[in-house]
Amino acid sequence: MNIAKATLLRLGGILFVLWAVATIVFLALKAIPGDEVDAILGPGSNASEEAVALAIETHGLDKPLIIQYLIQLKSIFTLNWGVSYSFDQPVLEIVEEQLPSTLVLSIVSLLLAWILALLASIISVFGRLPWRIVSMVEIVFAALPHFALAIVLIVVFSTWLGILPPISTSDTKSIILPALTLAIPTAGFLGQIMRESLLDAMESPFIISARARGEKTLGLYGRHLLRHASLPAVSLSGWAFGSLMSGAVIVEEVFARQGIGRTLLSAVGVRDMPLVIGILMIIAFVYCMVTLIVDLLEVAIDPRARKINPQKRKVS
């Protein structure tokens, strides 16, 4: 498969994901009980019949559902996302304000998860006891729900030790607890995969050859083992980043941190349809872009991924 065809397939996949997200969110919001006009005008607004009729006509609520769906799709893919019902502000402006905070939190959390997973993988190779301890810790970490972990971290580091703020402030230290809350469960998953891959690599022929050439332990880890062990974790980093962004919905609410996750939670509560669709479309797009970047990183780390089966040359 040539590069142009692979690129077209990737772009087609991204468009399909965005269409699927837009369709599912539209149908889900329409299925929520309640009158959408109340969400537009505000609950208990006591609006006049003329105002209600104008709202229905302006937002196309008098049209068949399929027509509303097609209008919504056109608005999404032309980036005409309308105005938020609850904020009375263009959806794109709200997304531009809130997205950077969540992206920073997700990136910091992913870096912390990688650091924790690498440390766990290195420690686990120093005998059976460290291996069993690390394995048990990884399982516990992976099973921890974000809200429970957040409460534990707040109690320990804010209430007992008093070294980190329990809510987000302008201080850079305020990102530590939210980032740890997201990173620890993700590190549990990445660590398990990385550790198993590291064990497989240690028994591989190329490691035996490196040892026969006199390669020292530091060289084995730096040049061979860790790079080989990190490949499966790199492949999962796209999924991990998407998981971190979805986890930010809970974490930002617990730590009172501004971001797209907390805004999404608020928008769902008041059935702010334009804002919900806009935020979820942005999250889906970011996830697709991160997955594409991860694929490129995997090619950079693993030389085998760069090999393309050459066409057989005709012998004259």
Side-chain angles (χ1 to χ4, degrees):
M1 183 184 296
N2 57 38
I3 296 177
K5 188 175 181 180
T7 303
L8 287 175
L9 285 174
R10 170 65 70 178
L11 292 175
I14 291 174
L15 289 175
F16 175 79
V17 169
L18 296 177
W19 167 80
V21 170
T23 302
I24 293 171
V25 174
F26 176 84
L27 294 176
L29 289 174
K30 288 295 183 181
I32 295 176
D35 191 350
E36 192 173 341
V37 177
D38 290 338
I40 297 171
L41 299 176
S45 61
N46 295 321
S48 63
E49 293 183 1
E50 292 79 6
V52 171
L54 180 61
I56 291 174
E57 182 182 357
T58 302
H59 294 86
L61 300 180
D62 55 339
K63 295 179 173 62
L65 189 63
I66 184 64
I67 301 299
Q68 295 182 42
Y69 168 69
L70 294 175
I71 293 173
Q72 187 67 59
L73 279 185
K74 180 183 177 182
S75 300
I76 288 171
F77 287 101
T78 57
L79 296 182
N80 182 22
W81 293 354
V83 177
S84 165
Y85 299 160
S86 53
F87 289 90
D88 194 24
Q89 185 180 353
V91 171
L92 280 175
E93 289 185 7
I94 298 173
V95 171
E96 288 174 2
E97 291 173 2
Q98 302 296 333
L99 181 60
S101 176
T102 302
L103 285 179
V104 169
L105 177 61
S106 300
I107 292 170
V108 172
S109 301
L110 186 60
L111 291 175
L112 282 175
W114 260 90
I115 292 170
L116 292 173
L118 281 172
L119 289 175
S121 299
I122 293 172
I123 292 171
S124 65
V125 301
F126 291 102
R128 288 188 177 182
L129 182 59
W131 181 277
R132 290 176 179 174
I133 292 174
V134 168
S135 177
M136 181 178 63
V137 170
E138 285 172 346
I139 292 173
V140 173
F141 279 5
L144 285 173
H146 288 130
F147 69 90
L149 180 58
I151 293 171
V152 171
L153 292 177
I154 290 173
V155 170
V156 173
F157 292 99
S158 299
T159 306
W160 292 352
L161 300 178
I163 58 177
L164 292 174
I167 61 173
S168 294
T169 62
S170 57
D171 192 348
T172 51
K173 290 195 302 182
S174 65
I175 198 175
I176 296 176
L177 289 185
L180 279 175
T181 303
L182 289 172
I184 288 175
T186 305
F189 285 108
L190 295 179
Q192 292 178 60
I193 296 166
M194 200 177 296
R195 184 166 46 83
E196 292 298 328
S197 182
L198 184 62
L199 180 62
D200 292 340
M202 291 177 68
E203 299 174 353
S204 299
F206 71 90
I207 293 298
I208 298 174
S209 299
R211 283 174 176 162
R213 294 194 304 268
E215 188 76 76
K216 295 183 179 180
T217 303
L218 185 61
L220 282 175
Y221 279 98
R223 298 179 186 176
H224 304 288
L225 285 172
L226 288 180
R227 188 168 82 167
H228 182 85
S230 66
L231 283 174
V234 168
S235 300
L236 280 175
S237 290
W239 161 84
F241 192 84
S243 176
L244 291 170
M245 288 198 71
S246 62
V249 174
I250 297 173
V251 172
E252 288 176 351
E253 183 67 21
V254 172
F255 290 97
R257 179 182 175 85
Q258 291 299 318
I260 206 167
R262 192 180 183 196
T263 305
L264 175 62
L265 192 63
S266 172
V268 171
V270 297
R271 203 180 177 184
D272 191 339
M273 191 167 178
L275 187 55
V276 171
I277 292 178
I279 290 176
L280 290 177
M281 291 301 298
I282 282 293
I283 291 175
F285 179 75
V286 170
Y287 173 76
C288 291
M289 292 298 101
V290 170
T291 303
L292 180 60
I293 293 171
V294 166
D295 289 344
L296 296 176
L297 283 176
E298 192 174 359
V299 170
I301 294 173
D302 187 3
R304 294 171 298 181
R306 295 195 291 266
K307 293 181 180 179
I308 300 176
N309 293 330
Q311 296 179 350
K312 293 182 179 180
R313 296 179 180 178
K314 295 181 180 180
V315 180
S316 56

